Amino acid sequence: MKLDVNALRYLAKDDFRVLTAVEMGMRNHEIVPAELVDRIARLKHGGTYKVLRNLLKNKLVHHDATKFGRQIGVGKESDIFEVATEDGTVLAMKLHRLGRTSFRAVKSKRDYLRHRRSFNWLYLSRLAALKEFAFMKALGDHGFPVPAAVDCNRHCVIMSLVQGYPLVQVKELQNPDDVFDTILGLIVRLAEHGLIHCDFNEFNIMIDDDEKITVIDFPQMVSVSHRNAQMFFDRDIECIYKFFNKRFNLTSEKNEEQAGSESDDEGNSRPSFLSVKKTAGSLDKELAASGYTRKEQVEMDKYIEEDAERHDSSSDDDDDDDDNDKDDSAEPDCNLASRDSDVPGTFSEENETSCSSEKRLESPS
Ligand code: ADP
Ligand code: MG
């Protein structure tokens, strides 16, 4: 390993701070965990990891394998960590853990268990990871602003690290109108490609300092040919309207020029499912190429059917759990509870009341 001494000339205070922290950690660690370096260096806003990345690039620190960094997200169905490759590139790793909460409830239902096939949480999580990876890759290939899909193995997806923050954390925007239009445009463009995100809200939209949007979180996406497609589409749109209205005071009478618009009851125009030119299945080839083939789709659908059955049967039960009943006739709204029984990949057991109560940066359960 050859050291480029020129790099030394440009080291800043923080670089030395992190190097010192590494050295201190080496007192009792042969390989110093990045978290420990972070704890000792105590740089703000994940600064340690940025500095480490830079030091790695300049070969001023050495690491011997892919590294785990800090946890950057936690949802009901996943944990997200920073990881670093051999060359120091920092990526995001999403570990799916689907169905574990569901299973606890399932176990109390003898009838349901008797008919149950051999699904387990790791298997379901693997399917969800595969689906997420395949969709991310296909969407990226079609120019959608999504993280770059790097790899997928078992229940784990590796993707590029998105710079920026979930929109839910953003209190102010320079150009709320533009961001609003961009986001609505994305929902429409997705439908034109035959897809609906089904969880398109401020928790799954990342935004950077230049107000550039990146969409994440794809396991629950459905085709525009899904029997509830229109409801899902309308709900995604509604979530965005609601959020922008509440947070940025945007009551958009605009979007007239937006593709696929029509007037709603209040005389405002918003993208409408019926007038979007949809080409269902247009991404199927790409999806299959990533390993999400018909077989996986069928398996996932089987699980969804069983999950729906469970929801149905639980509504007859006198069990005291909080399962959400399926209600296809419900008005489209941002209520995640109603989507659980219908959408692949969402298997929550909790009652949620609005899109903003979604994924929650809560502590791991
Ligand atoms: P879940 O399915 O559990 O909702 P998400 O994919 O939405 O998981 O990720 C949860 C959180 O993790 C996000 O809100 C975001 O803050 C963070 N996150 C996820 N993917 C990335 C990424 N590629 N880069 C940076 N942060 C990410
Ligand atoms: Mg999410």
Side-chain angles (χ1 to χ4, degrees), residues 72-82 91-98 132 136 147-148 159-166 168-169 199 202-206 214 216-220 345 358-361:
I72 46 178
V74 56
K76 268 206 294 239
E77 289 134 10
S78 76
D79 294 297
I80 290 103
F81 296 90
E82 277 187 351
L91 300 168
M93 178 175 77
K94 179 167 176 177
L95 293 175
H96 288 261
R97 44 173 173 72
L98 232 69
E132 174 145 86
M136 207 186 311
M159 62 189 119
S160 62
L161 184 71
V162 179
Q163 301 302 326
Y165 333 84
V168 66
Q169 291 174 10
D199 213 358
E202 62 274 26
F203 296 87
N204 292 326
I205 296 168
M206 307 282 287
T214 307
I216 58 168
D217 203 357
F218 313 104
Q220 69 291 323
E358 199 243 7
K359 294 292 156 70
R360 52 242 165 200
L361 285 165

Side-chain angles (χ1 to χ4, degrees), residues 286-303:
E286 285 93 329
L287 294 176
S290 298
Y292 192 70
T293 60
R294 195 135 285 280
K295 179 171 163 285
E296 273 76 23
Q297 280 181 46
V298 169
E299 291 281 84
M300 194 85 174
D301 287 351
K302 251 193 254 170
Y303 175 77

Side-chain angles (χ1 to χ4, degrees), residues 126-195:
R126 189 188 73 82
L127 280 185
L130 187 57
K131 180 173 178 185
E132 174 145 86
F133 176 76
F135 276 70
M136 207 186 311
K137 177 101 183 36
L139 292 172
D141 289 350
H142 280 261
F144 283 92
V146 297
V150 176
D151 208 348
C152 171
N153 192 320
R154 294 182 174 82
H155 64 310
C156 160
V157 178
I158 306 283
M159 62 189 119
S160 62
L161 184 71
V162 179
Q163 301 302 326
Y165 333 84
L167 188 58
V168 66
Q169 291 174 10
V170 176
K171 301 283 179 258
E172 237 174 81
L173 288 172
Q174 300 276 340
N175 304 298
D177 292 271
D178 292 351
V179 176
F180 182 69
D181 287 351
T182 304
I183 292 173
L184 289 180
L186 279 172
I187 301 178
V188 170
R189 198 148 69 84
L190 274 173
E192 285 167 356
H193 281 76
L195 294 171

